[in-house]
Amino acid sequence: MTRGDKLKADFLLLAVAMVWGASFTLMKNVINEIPVCPYLAGRFLVASLALLFIFRKSLGRINRKLLQAGVFIGVILFLGMGLQVYGLIYTTATKSAFIAGMNFMFVPFLSILLLKKTPNKATFLGVFIALVGLFYLSGGVEFSFNKGDFISLVSAFCFALQIVFIDKYTNEGLDASLIAVLQIGTAAVLFLLLWLVYPNGNVIQDIQLFAKPIVFLTILFTGLLGTAGGFGVQTLVQRFTTPSHTALLLAMEPVWGAVFAFLIPDIVTGKRESFDGYKLLGCTLMFLGTICCELGGLLKDKFGRPRKMVSTQQKIR
């Protein structure tokens, strides 16, 4: 693995964060037009069919271990995504994106606990700077916490687990592309089942809502780019970096969430979310935190890794 591989992985993960940031405002608008369950079922079904088509020649290599790993991560993804969209009902798109980005706080500690990986000092510093940035991005001293924020926080923990277990299984030699197919497919099946058994749902009526332009286009965008592209790319390139680095790069999602919430008006009120000095400072600190983490990786590659990290890194690679 070369430094070029790492830089390409970083660029792609940042691109994923941008797509996910745009998805928050789009999802906030679309759940005013269609219930959460059919929206997520449609989104993940589109993503699953896309990935099945792309990797159709590799499906014959799926074995029991791959199936178990993919389904396990898919269940975690189902919980994280379902809670994230459900939380949007009770909070703003900016705050939802902010709290979702907090998964990078959980990842270093989960890595130590579950993977026995200790992030370097630059990563911890970058996480701290980014955390301060997230605080200001949420409104600084005016920060408040409600039901939707709590649901979003549980969702963030699920996404942190997803990052850690993707790292675990791909570094055990399991095919990353097939893990991507299986995790998205598992989530799609679970969302479809949830939709069918949802007590207040009307499947026929919900299907008719898919014909609405905003619903149809949002499902295509979030399904193909946000889910198939986003989670697919994340799974494929994460093996070129560490879980903590991945989480910090994906933590740029709330920065883009704030930008798109400012650019795209709410479908009901017609208003855009404000972008004040607090959010600008928060975005700046988020960028600085990411840069700090990246510079730490460059210096470590140039001058060598500390002795205590050698055995861990060799084991990882």
Side-chain angles (χ1 to χ4, degrees):
M1 178 176 58
T2 66
R3 186 63 197 169
D5 292 330
K6 293 180 181 179
L7 289 175
K8 289 177 183 177
D10 290 352
F11 174 79
L12 289 170
L13 288 170
L14 285 172
V16 168
M18 182 179 70
V19 172
W20 286 353
S23 297
F24 272 96
T25 302
L26 296 175
M27 287 190 297
K28 180 71 176 177
N29 281 337
V30 83
I31 58 177
N32 290 307
E33 301 291 327
I34 188 171
V36 171
C37 283
Y39 162 69
L40 287 175
R43 171 177 174 171
F44 274 80
L45 181 60
V46 167
S48 182
L49 292 174
L51 289 177
L52 283 171
F53 177 77
I54 293 171
F55 298 109
R56 61 190 183 281
K57 295 182 179 179
S58 303
L59 298 179
R61 299 204 305 269
I62 295 177
N63 54 36
R64 183 177 180 180
K65 189 173 182 180
L66 259 171
L67 184 62
Q68 290 175 338
V71 170
F72 178 65
I73 297 175
V75 171
I76 297 174
L77 176 60
F78 163 74
L79 293 173
M81 200 71 209
L83 290 171
Q84 183 184 86
V85 179
Y86 183 62
L88 272 170
I89 298 173
Y90 304 101
T91 190
T92 65
T94 298
K95 284 183 69 178
S96 179
F98 150 65
I99 296 172
M102 290 179 68
N103 69 61
F104 72 82
M105 289 195 312
F106 300 125
V107 170
F109 301 103
L110 288 172
S111 294
I112 294 171
L113 180 65
L114 299 176
L115 304 179
K116 311 303 179 186
K117 294 182 180 181
T118 304
N120 59 52
K121 293 179 180 179
T123 298
F124 278 114
L125 178 59
V127 166
F128 175 75
I129 294 173
L131 177 60
V132 176
L134 277 172
F135 173 74
Y136 282 108
L137 190 58
S138 71
V141 294
E142 297 178 359
F143 180 75
S144 60
F145 205 76
N146 60 31
K147 176 182 177 180
D149 299 332
F150 176 75
I151 294 171
S152 298
L153 185 63
V154 178
S155 167
F157 183 77
C158 291
F159 283 123
L161 284 174
Q162 185 223 16
I163 290 173
V164 168
F165 280 106
I166 285 175
D167 182 82
K168 170 181 168 61
Y169 291 125
T170 55
N171 280 289
E172 287 179 357
L174 297 184
D175 190 309
S177 63
L178 292 177
I179 288 179
V181 172
L182 289 168
Q183 70 165 330
I184 300 299
T186 298
V189 170
L190 291 174
F191 281 125
L192 283 169
L193 291 174
L194 183 63
W195 176 25
L196 293 175
V197 301
Y198 190 64
N200 298 323
N202 186 325
V203 175
I204 302 300
Q205 185 178 1
D206 291 340
I207 291 175
Q208 293 174 345
L209 294 175
F210 289 134
K212 288 188 175 183
I214 186 174
V215 174
F216 179 75
L217 293 175
T218 300
I219 287 177
L220 279 184
F221 177 86
T222 56
L224 294 177
L225 293 182
T227 302
F231 289 113
V233 167
Q234 177 203 348
T235 306
L236 289 170
V237 306
Q238 192 177 312
R239 66 185 184 275
F240 296 116
T241 186
T242 65
S244 297
H245 197 172
T246 298
L248 196 55
L249 290 168
L250 293 178
M252 294 303 295
E253 178 181 356
V255 174
W256 292 110
V259 171
F260 285 107
F262 173 73
L263 295 174
I264 302 174
D266 186 278
I267 193 172
V268 176
T269 65
K271 296 180 179 180
R272 296 177 173 85
E273 294 186 19
S274 63
F275 198 90
D276 53 21
Y278 275 128
K279 291 180 180 177
L280 181 60
L281 176 60
C283 290
T284 302
L285 290 172
M286 288 290 296
F287 278 113
L288 289 176
T290 305
I291 291 171
C292 178
C293 182
E294 189 63 33
L295 287 176
L298 286 170
L299 291 174
K300 192 167 70 172
D301 285 345
K302 182 175 181 179
F303 297 107
R305 296 178 173 86
R307 180 174 296 179
K308 66 178 182 179
M309 292 293 291
V310 170
S311 61
T312 303
Q313 292 292 336
Q314 286 177 343
K315 184 179 179 181
I316 296 170
R317 308 303 178 199

